[in-house]
Amino acid sequence: MFWFLLITMVVVVAAVTLAVVGGGDSEVLPDAAPEQLVDPLPLSRPVDRADVEALRLPVAARGYRMEDVDDVLDRLAAELAERDARIADLESALAGRAAGEPDEGGER
């Protein structure tokens, strides 16, 4: 039993040594390229709920990449500001029409 354990230990030490030293010039694991966000938000139309739900940000070593998150949040903030301005314009036009003011075409 002693000889079996001794031979097993020698084989394990030799295998570990070959794995560590025997790699030569090649790396054991090549460096992986970091994930980059390909902007999934459409440029040709406003962002809708499905776009936001489908959005998946690439994960970095300690969470999400700040640049990617900032870009997406900036884009969503701009979209929301644009929609808020459009809603305010439509509400003021509707309030003017309800108050009896003629619209831009001169009709009532």
Side-chain angles (χ1 to χ4, degrees), residues 22-99:
D25 293 335
S26 66
E27 296 180 27
V28 177
L29 293 176
D31 289 336
E35 292 183 49
Q36 297 292 321
L37 175 67
V38 177
D39 189 9
L41 299 176
L43 297 174
S44 60
R45 63 176 173 77
V47 176
D48 61 12
R49 179 181 178 153
D51 296 326
V52 175
E53 288 175 352
L55 180 65
R56 297 292 176 259
L57 298 171
V59 179
R62 293 187 291 164
Y64 295 106
R65 295 183 58 211
M66 276 197 296
E67 283 181 26
D68 293 338
V69 174
D70 289 344
D71 291 344
V72 169
L73 290 176
D74 289 344
R75 172 75 190 278
L76 291 175
E79 291 270 343
L80 289 173
E82 184 178 321
R83 286 183 186 176
D84 289 344
R86 178 74 177 141
I87 289 170
D89 289 344
L90 292 173
E91 286 177 342
S92 66
L94 183 62
R97 191 173 275 184

